[in-house]
Amino acid sequence: MTTRIVPFLLLFICFKVQSQEQWSLQRCVAFAMDNNLTVKQAVYQAQATRLTAKQTKTTLYPTVNGSLQGAYQRGLNENPTTGTLESANFFSGSIGAQTGYTIFNWGARKNNIASTELFAKADEVGIEKAKNDIALFVANQFLQIMLRREQVRISEAAVQLSRAQLENTQKLVDAGSQPELNVIQIGAQLERDSALLLQAQSLVEEGLINLKTTLNIDLATPFDIAAPALDAIPVENITDLQPEYVYNIAVKTQPTQRQYAIRIEATERQVEAARGNMYPTVTAFGGLNSRFINAKTPFILGMQSAQPTGAYIVDNSGNKTSVLSDRPIFGTRGVGLFNQLNKNFGQSLGLSLNFPVFNNWNSRTQWERAKLNVLTTKLQDDQERLTLKSNIYTAYQQAFSSLQKYNASVRSVTASQRALDISKKRFDIGLLGTLDYIITQNNLYRAQIEEVSNRYDYIFKIKVLEFYKGNSIKL
């Protein structure tokens, strides 16, 4: 049943591949750099750090704040314009503006600005690192798909070989020169080869799904890769990729190393900023303010002359004479808003000197912590350099080992093919059992799979060394 399904499945897959747009490695890498979620996270992180650096730069400018206040007061309260206690109901308010500017703080502000700017640059280099990492990852997935398609090709050849052998054996059985058991055993081998072919095809689709996930493409979108010919892939000679030589280049060009160099400088600026916070700060300040109230103000409307005061004078005869006096006539009136603001307008300007006397060692502790942060960042840089060197030496050793394994597998394929040719001749004339022939055929299949796997593994290991050398990933 499987042998009848396979041709139709192969035809469907071929039609599906032809109907899909094919992506080159360069297009995949470029698309991943713009759309991969990890790269986007690095971009957002860099943007957030850049905003912090931009905001820190504004500390070079004065601060200006405004205030507007209103209140309703009832009963005995202080009149905000006269400062006297009055029992009345009124609405009052004030308006003002304040400004401040740090004139001198021992370089704390300058070093803090430089530090945030350097951290922003480090995170921008982090974008480049994320793009490089995703480029290498995409190249690996791309090569994996190419490898699995080579395995499909080998599996298809194995199926065709088993089918041809089955047809030939059936003729020999019909002619009576071989037992029917041979047909059954080769038929079983054909079923196994067909199952391996289906498995290989499934792995190809799985690889395409993984690559689309990395590229952040909808999995329902038709997608395929434009695989170059294996022999056309440029590969540097392993003798030109000696690990120490590659490391000396990588330590100067890899984003991680440049990122840590910038971060070390940034943390050193943080030390200077923390040190400046331990010294006095000179600040200039100023302000404008005014007040208003809606209560009416008393004033004199006029004078009433010769009004009795209630007092009197008694002469020697006992006669009383009233004491008269001019009496003012009072009234109330409101004062306009702008007149009040102008009348109550006030200004202030001054300098302040702030210096730490004792704040529970907070400033000194921050300074000591900043110095430890420098040492920690330098240790991280040393660890990254050590990891980089280890990765390069490991990649070189793996590439050298892959090359030896590939050369050995080439010889193994040649020997296995020769053994199969001889076995087929002996099997056709009845001098070799079916199981022995199937074992020889499987040995060739495994040798071919191993040869292809080793070759792709070697190519990828060389590409890793080329990547550390500063070359872009090319296939």
Side-chain angles (χ1 to χ4, degrees):
M1 181 66 179
T2 305
T3 57
R4 292 194 296 268
I5 294 177
V6 170
F8 295 100
L9 182 60
L10 293 177
L11 180 62
F12 170 75
I13 292 176
C14 292
F15 174 77
K16 181 179 178 182
V17 169
Q18 291 175 357
S19 64
Q20 294 171 348
E21 183 180 6
Q22 295 186 333
W23 290 43
S24 66
L25 175 62
Q26 285 71 25
R27 181 180 178 184
C28 290
V29 169
F31 191 88
M33 288 183 177
D34 293 333
N35 297 276
N36 180 261
L37 298 182
T38 302
V39 175
K40 284 186 176 182
Q41 288 175 352
V43 171
Y44 295 155
Q45 174 62 35
Q47 290 175 349
T49 313
R50 175 55 61 186
L51 286 176
T52 301
K54 183 177 180 180
Q55 187 275 328
T56 307
K57 286 182 180 180
T58 60
T59 58
L60 292 172
Y61 305 103
T63 60
V64 179
N65 296 291
S67 64
L68 181 63
Q69 181 179 353
Y72 176 77
Q73 295 172 289
R74 181 178 181 182
L76 184 63
N77 289 284
E78 179 181 351
N79 188 314
T81 60
T82 64
T84 60
L85 291 175
E86 297 181 10
S87 181
N89 301 335
F90 54 82
F91 177 83
S92 64
S94 64
I95 185 171
Q98 304 81 35
T99 183
Y101 179 70
T102 301
I103 298 176
F104 182 70
N105 65 346
W106 299 88
R109 178 178 54 186
K110 178 186 68 176
N111 286 298
N112 190 40
I113 292 173
S115 174
T116 55
E117 178 66 23
L118 287 168
F119 276 122
K121 289 182 179 179
D123 283 345
E124 287 168 359
V125 175
I127 298 176
E128 183 181 347
K129 176 182 180 299
K131 288 183 176 181
N132 281 359
D133 291 345
I134 203 64
L136 191 62
F137 190 68
V138 167
N140 184 27
Q141 291 183 319
F142 200 94
L143 284 171
Q144 284 293 325
I145 296 173
M146 291 178 60
L147 168 61
R148 291 173 179 179
R149 284 194 169 159
E150 285 292 316
Q151 293 173 342
V152 168
R153 182 186 62 78
I154 295 172
S155 297
E156 289 172 348
V159 169
Q160 293 174 359
L161 179 63
S162 296
R163 183 180 293 110
Q165 188 61 35
L166 178 63
E167 294 173 355
N168 185 53
T169 303
Q170 184 64 55
K171 294 177 181 179
L172 295 174
V173 170
D174 293 341
S177 59
Q178 286 192 8
E180 188 176 357
L181 179 61
N182 290 357
V183 173
I184 297 175
Q185 290 175 331
I186 294 179
Q189 178 63 30
L190 177 58
E191 295 295 333
R192 287 191 292 269
D193 291 340
S194 300
L196 290 174
L197 173 58
L198 293 174
Q199 181 181 2
Q201 292 167 342
S202 176
L203 289 175
V204 171
E205 294 301 318
E206 181 181 327
L208 291 172
I209 291 173
N210 292 336
L211 182 55
K212 284 197 287 186
T213 301
T214 302
L215 300 182
N216 196 20
I217 296 176
D218 186 3
L219 298 182
T221 303
F223 176 84
D224 193 22
I225 65 170
L230 191 59
D231 294 333
I233 298 177
V235 178
E236 289 193 37
N237 195 313
I238 192 172
T239 57
D240 297 329
L241 298 170
Q242 294 300 314
E244 193 64 26
Y245 167 71
V246 174
Y247 170 74
N248 290 332
I249 296 177
V251 78
K252 299 175 183 177
T253 60
Q254 285 298 305
T256 301
Q257 275 56 52
R258 290 190 284 115
Q259 188 178 37
Y260 271 103
I262 297 173
R263 284 179 176 174
I264 290 173
E265 185 179 355
T267 54
E268 289 173 344
R269 287 302 190 102
Q270 283 183 328
V271 172
E272 296 301 319
R275 183 173 177 270
N277 289 330
M278 299 169 60
Y279 294 93
T281 300
V282 180
T283 305
F285 62 89
L288 304 172
N289 65 86
S290 187
R291 302 174 302 278
F292 65 90
I293 188 172
N294 73 337
K296 294 185 177 181
T297 305
F299 72 102
I300 298 175
L301 293 174
M303 299 294 292
Q304 290 180 326
S305 61
Q307 295 298 313
T309 63
Y312 57 89
I313 299 173
V314 180
D315 57 15
N316 293 332
S317 300
N319 296 320
K320 296 181 179 179
T321 303
S322 297
V323 178
L324 301 178
S325 175
D326 294 339
R327 180 182 298 173
I329 301 175
F330 290 97
T332 59
R333 63 181 178 184
V335 181
L337 171 63
F338 292 102
N339 288 336
Q340 289 192 60
L341 293 177
N342 182 58
K343 178 181 178 181
N344 298 323
F345 182 64
Q347 310 91 39
S348 63
L349 183 65
L351 293 174
S352 67
L353 177 65
N354 299 315
F355 49 89
V357 178
F358 180 73
N359 58 359
N360 298 320
W361 299 98
N362 285 337
S363 298
R364 180 167 291 275
T365 300
Q366 291 176 2
W367 180 47
E368 297 291 344
R369 185 178 290 113
K371 290 193 293 184
L372 287 175
N373 194 25
V374 174
L375 297 177
T376 300
T377 307
K378 288 183 177 180
L379 283 178
Q380 292 173 346
D381 180 45
D382 292 340
Q383 181 61 53
E384 285 295 332
R385 288 172 180 265
L386 183 61
T387 302
L388 175 65
K389 195 167 192 176
S390 176
N391 289 342
I392 291 174
Y393 271 81
T394 300
Y396 177 83
Q397 187 59 42
Q398 289 178 343
F400 182 79
S401 177
S402 296
L403 178 60
Q404 302 304 314
K405 290 166 61 178
Y406 170 67
N407 291 333
S409 60
V410 170
R411 294 191 294 268
S412 177
V413 168
T414 302
S416 298
Q417 183 64 58
R418 183 181 178 186
L420 182 62
D421 293 340
I422 296 174
S423 297
K424 185 177 183 304
K425 293 177 181 179
R426 299 186 64 190
F427 177 77
D428 290 342
I429 62 177
L431 296 179
L432 184 69
T434 305
L435 292 179
D436 292 332
Y437 175 76
I438 291 175
I439 291 174
T440 306
Q441 181 177 328
N442 289 337
N443 288 340
L444 175 61
Y445 174 77
R446 286 192 296 267
Q448 290 173 331
I449 292 293
E450 185 176 358
E451 177 197 7
V452 171
S453 299
N454 290 338
R455 187 174 184 184
Y456 275 94
D457 185 60
Y458 172 68
I459 290 175
F460 180 71
K461 295 299 189 302
I462 291 295
K463 291 301 175 182
V464 171
L465 288 172
E466 293 176 356
F467 166 78
Y468 283 127
K469 190 180 176 182
N471 299 345
S472 59
I473 302 297
K474 294 181 180 179
L475 295 181

PDB file of all heavy atoms in Angstrom, residues 335-343:
ATOM      1  N   VAL A 335     -11.767  94.654  44.306  1.00  0.00           N
ATOM      2  CA  VAL A 335     -10.577  95.039  43.567  1.00  0.00           C
ATOM      3  C   VAL A 335     -10.419  94.076  42.399  1.00  0.00           C
ATOM      4  O   VAL A 335     -10.550  92.859  42.556  1.00  0.00           O
ATOM      5  CB  VAL A 335      -9.322  95.017  44.464  1.00  0.00           C
ATOM      6  CG1 VAL A 335      -8.093  95.443  43.665  1.00  0.00           C
ATOM      7  CG2 VAL A 335      -9.518  95.918  45.676  1.00  0.00           C
ATOM      8  N   GLY A 336     -10.150  94.572  41.202  1.00  0.00           N
ATOM      9  CA  GLY A 336     -10.030  93.737  40.007  1.00  0.00           C
ATOM     10  C   GLY A 336      -8.919  92.690  40.126  1.00  0.00           C
ATOM     11  O   GLY A 336      -7.929  92.868  40.843  1.00  0.00           O
ATOM     12  N   LEU A 337      -9.119  91.565  39.413  1.00  0.00           N
ATOM     13  CA  LEU A 337      -8.171  90.452  39.490  1.00  0.00           C
ATOM     14  C   LEU A 337      -6.761  90.898  39.081  1.00  0.00           C
ATOM     15  O   LEU A 337      -5.782  90.666  39.799  1.00  0.00           O
ATOM     16  CB  LEU A 337      -8.658  89.308  38.586  1.00  0.00           C
ATOM     17  CG  LEU A 337      -7.673  88.151  38.397  1.00  0.00           C
ATOM     18  CD1 LEU A 337      -7.402  87.460  39.722  1.00  0.00           C
ATOM     19  CD2 LEU A 337      -8.200  87.166  37.356  1.00  0.00           C
ATOM     20  N   PHE A 338      -6.654  91.546  37.942  1.00  0.00           N
ATOM     21  CA  PHE A 338      -5.328  91.926  37.453  1.00  0.00           C
ATOM     22  C   PHE A 338      -4.694  93.009  38.320  1.00  0.00           C
ATOM     23  O   PHE A 338      -3.480  93.047  38.488  1.00  0.00           O
ATOM     24  CB  PHE A 338      -5.413  92.373  35.986  1.00  0.00           C
ATOM     25  CG  PHE A 338      -5.743  91.259  35.050  1.00  0.00           C
ATOM     26  CD1 PHE A 338      -7.024  91.112  34.543  1.00  0.00           C
ATOM     27  CD2 PHE A 338      -4.770  90.323  34.700  1.00  0.00           C
ATOM     28  CE1 PHE A 338      -7.323  90.061  33.687  1.00  0.00           C
ATOM     29  CE2 PHE A 338      -5.073  89.285  33.835  1.00  0.00           C
ATOM     30  CZ  PHE A 338      -6.351  89.152  33.327  1.00  0.00           C
ATOM     31  N   ASN A 339      -5.546  93.878  38.899  1.00  0.00           N
ATOM     32  CA  ASN A 339      -5.001  94.869  39.828  1.00  0.00           C
ATOM     33  C   ASN A 339      -4.410  94.197  41.063  1.00  0.00           C
ATOM     34  O   ASN A 339      -3.350  94.593  41.568  1.00  0.00           O
ATOM     35  CB  ASN A 339      -6.098  95.858  40.234  1.00  0.00           C
ATOM     36  CG  ASN A 339      -6.462  96.793  39.103  1.00  0.00           C
ATOM     37  OD1 ASN A 339      -5.659  97.020  38.197  1.00  0.00           O
ATOM     38  ND2 ASN A 339      -7.678  97.325  39.138  1.00  0.00           N
ATOM     39  N   GLN A 340      -5.117  93.156  41.571  1.00  0.00           N
ATOM     40  CA  GLN A 340      -4.593  92.427  42.729  1.00  0.00           C
ATOM     41  C   GLN A 340      -3.292  91.695  42.383  1.00  0.00           C
ATOM     42  O   GLN A 340      -2.332  91.710  43.157  1.00  0.00           O
ATOM     43  CB  GLN A 340      -5.629  91.416  43.241  1.00  0.00           C
ATOM     44  CG  GLN A 340      -6.829  92.024  43.916  1.00  0.00           C
ATOM     45  CD  GLN A 340      -7.643  90.969  44.637  1.00  0.00           C
ATOM     46  OE1 GLN A 340      -7.147  90.291  45.544  1.00  0.00           O
ATOM     47  NE2 GLN A 340      -8.909  90.828  44.226  1.00  0.00           N
ATOM     48  N   LEU A 341      -3.282  91.044  41.219  1.00  0.00           N
ATOM     49  CA  LEU A 341      -2.074  90.309  40.823  1.00  0.00           C
ATOM     50  C   LEU A 341      -0.890  91.253  40.672  1.00  0.00           C
ATOM     51  O   LEU A 341       0.241  90.928  41.055  1.00  0.00           O
ATOM     52  CB  LEU A 341      -2.321  89.550  39.509  1.00  0.00           C
ATOM     53  CG  LEU A 341      -3.327  88.398  39.566  1.00  0.00           C
ATOM     54  CD1 LEU A 341      -3.515  87.786  38.180  1.00  0.00           C
ATOM     55  CD2 LEU A 341      -2.870  87.327  40.566  1.00  0.00           C
ATOM     56  N   ASN A 342      -1.155  92.436  40.128  1.00  0.00           N
ATOM     57  CA  ASN A 342      -0.078  93.396  39.955  1.00  0.00           C
ATOM     58  C   ASN A 342       0.382  93.952  41.306  1.00  0.00           C
ATOM     59  O   ASN A 342       1.583  94.120  41.565  1.00  0.00           O
ATOM     60  CB  ASN A 342      -0.553  94.524  39.038  1.00  0.00           C
ATOM     61  CG  ASN A 342       0.548  95.537  38.785  1.00  0.00           C
ATOM     62  OD1 ASN A 342       1.624  95.189  38.290  1.00  0.00           O
ATOM     63  ND2 ASN A 342       0.282  96.793  39.129  1.00  0.00           N
ATOM     64  N   LYS A 343      -0.581  94.235  42.190  1.00  0.00           N
ATOM     65  CA  LYS A 343      -0.251  94.794  43.497  1.00  0.00           C
ATOM     66  C   LYS A 343       0.489  93.797  44.372  1.00  0.00           C
ATOM     67  O   LYS A 343       1.415  94.150  45.121  1.00  0.00           O
ATOM     68  CB  LYS A 343      -1.540  95.236  44.182  1.00  0.00           C
ATOM     69  CG  LYS A 343      -1.331  95.801  45.588  1.00  0.00           C
ATOM     70  CD  LYS A 343      -2.657  96.191  46.211  1.00  0.00           C
ATOM     71  CE  LYS A 343      -2.457  96.717  47.642  1.00  0.00           C
ATOM     72  NZ  LYS A 343      -3.756  97.066  48.258  1.00  0.00           N
TER      73      LYS A 343
END
